[in-house]
Amino acid sequence: MELVIKEKSKRRWGMPVLFTVMATVLAVAAYTFLILKHDPALVNLEERLWPASMEHPLGTDHLGRDVLTRLLLGAQLTVGYGLLSLFAAVIIGVPFGMIAGFKGGLIDRVFMRIADAFLAFPDTIVAIVLSGLLGPGIENLLLAIVLVKWVNYARLVRSTVITERQKEYVTVAKINGLSSFGIMRKHLFPHLIGNVLVLSSLDLGKIILLISSLSYIGLGAQPPAPEWGAMLNDARPYFQSNMLLMIYPGLAIIFVVLLTNMLGDYLRDAFDVKKEVGS
C-alpha cells in the first residue's frame, strides 16, 4: 500500500515537471531565432575547430560555424520535422481507422490488406527503402515516415472502434437517427483520444531517431542544414581530434527521445491505457 502511494505521488509531482521541460524544449525550438547570435551557415575557416569560449560557448565546427547556434536551430528542425510527420500520420490514420472499424465489410478487408503490406517489414527498413527510392532530401524522408507510420494509428483506432461499436450507447444513437458521421464524431472519437495521445508521444521519439539516423547516412536533411543527424555525419571525420562535435548532437537526441518516452509513460498511466499501445 505504501509503495502504491509513493508511486502515485511521484506521478503527481513528475507530470508537471515533465510537461514544463517538454514545453521548454518546444519553446526553444520554436523561438530559436530570437536567441541566435551567429549565422548557422556562415563559414569562417579562420575559426575552424575552435574550443569553447565566451564568443562560442560550445566551440566551432570544421567550417568555423558556431556549434551552439547550429544545435539550437537543429532542435527546431529535428523536433519540428518529427512533430510535422507525426501530425500528418495521425491526420491520415485516425479517419481511415474509424471508417474501416465502423463500416466493416469490404472497406475493412481492403484496409487490412494494405496494413498487412506495410507491416510485413519493420518500420525502419520500409522507411529506408522508401527514402532510397524517393531520393535524398528531408521532404522525401518525411513522406516516407508518414507512409510508414499512419498504419499504426489506423490499426489502433480500428480495433478501438470495433470494440466500442458493439456497445449499447452506439445502438441507441443509431435508433435515435444519428448519422454514422455523428456517431463517430460524438461517441467514438472521445474514446480514441487517450490511445492516440499515448501512441503519439511514444512514437515521437522513434520518429526523431528515424529522422536523425537517416540524415546521418545521407538520406534525410542535406548540408548545410543543422539537423542533429546531419551534424553527427559532418562531425564523424573529426571524432578523434574533436569528439565533442559528435557528443553535443548525440546528447541532444538522447535527451529529447528519453523525454518523449517518459511523457508517453505518464500519459499511459494517466489515461489508463493498456501496455500494448506502446509496443
Side-chain angles (χ1 to χ4, degrees):
M1 184 67 180
E2 184 178 352
L3 290 175
V4 174
I5 295 175
K6 286 183 178 180
E7 187 65 26
K8 290 183 178 179
S9 178
K10 287 181 180 179
R11 284 202 284 260
R12 186 170 61 249
W13 287 104
M15 182 67 81
V17 173
L18 189 60
F19 272 108
T20 301
V21 175
M22 193 68 187
T24 302
V25 172
L26 294 177
V28 169
Y31 296 101
T32 295
F33 64 92
L34 295 177
I35 55 179
L36 292 180
K37 292 178 58 179
H38 302 276
D39 185 347
L42 180 63
V43 175
N44 187 353
L45 295 180
E46 294 180 357
E47 297 181 358
R48 64 189 304 268
L49 299 177
W50 276 16
S53 63
M54 292 297 293
E55 181 67 18
H56 303 285
L58 297 182
T60 61
D61 65 4
H62 62 292
L63 294 177
R65 298 171 298 192
D66 184 69
V67 173
L68 179 60
T69 298
R70 292 177 61 78
L71 200 65
L72 291 174
L73 192 59
Q76 186 179 80
L77 297 179
T78 305
V79 179
Y81 289 150
L83 289 171
L84 178 63
S85 55
L86 177 64
F87 179 76
V90 171
I91 290 298
I92 295 172
V94 170
F96 265 95
M98 290 185 70
I99 294 172
F102 189 77
K103 294 295 185 181
L106 179 62
I107 296 177
D108 189 34
R109 289 196 296 272
V110 170
F111 164 74
M112 287 306 297
R113 298 294 78 76
I114 296 174
D116 290 342
F118 275 96
L119 296 173
F121 302 96
D123 291 355
T124 304
I125 301 299
V126 177
I128 291 175
V129 171
L130 290 175
S131 298
L133 292 175
L134 295 172
I138 192 63
E139 296 84 3
N140 292 337
L141 173 57
L142 297 184
L143 177 59
I145 291 174
V146 173
L147 290 175
V148 168
K149 289 295 182 181
W150 74 273
V151 180
N152 297 331
Y153 295 92
R155 290 180 73 249
L156 174 66
V157 169
R158 172 186 173 274
S159 63
T160 305
V161 170
I162 288 177
T163 301
E164 294 296 324
R165 76 180 183 186
Q166 301 172 358
K167 295 185 178 179
E168 292 182 358
Y169 71 89
V170 175
T171 304
V172 172
K174 290 180 180 179
I175 293 174
N176 291 333
L178 194 62
S179 65
S180 297
F181 176 77
I183 294 174
M184 288 188 286
R185 178 182 62 83
K186 187 175 180 181
H187 294 289
L188 297 179
F189 184 72
H191 291 277
L192 308 173
I193 295 176
N195 289 346
V196 172
L197 281 177
V198 173
L199 182 58
S200 299
S201 59
L202 293 172
D203 240 2
L204 180 58
K206 298 177 183 178
I207 291 174
I208 289 174
L209 276 178
L210 195 56
I211 291 173
S212 300
S213 59
L214 293 187
S215 295
Y216 177 75
I217 63 176
L219 292 177
Q222 301 298 305
E227 194 277 327
W228 288 339
M231 290 177 66
L232 282 171
N233 187 35
D234 288 342
R236 183 166 45 86
Y238 306 93
F239 179 73
Q240 292 185 346
S241 59
N242 193 344
M243 67 174 62
L244 290 177
L245 290 179
M246 291 193 73
I247 290 177
Y248 291 140
L251 288 177
I253 295 171
I254 292 172
F255 174 73
V256 173
V257 171
L258 286 177
L259 196 63
T260 57
N261 287 341
M262 291 173 61
L263 180 63
D265 289 338
Y266 275 113
L267 289 176
R268 183 162 54 191
D269 292 338
F271 287 102
D272 194 23
V273 176
K274 293 181 180 179
K275 297 293 183 181
E276 285 78 2
V277 170
S279 60

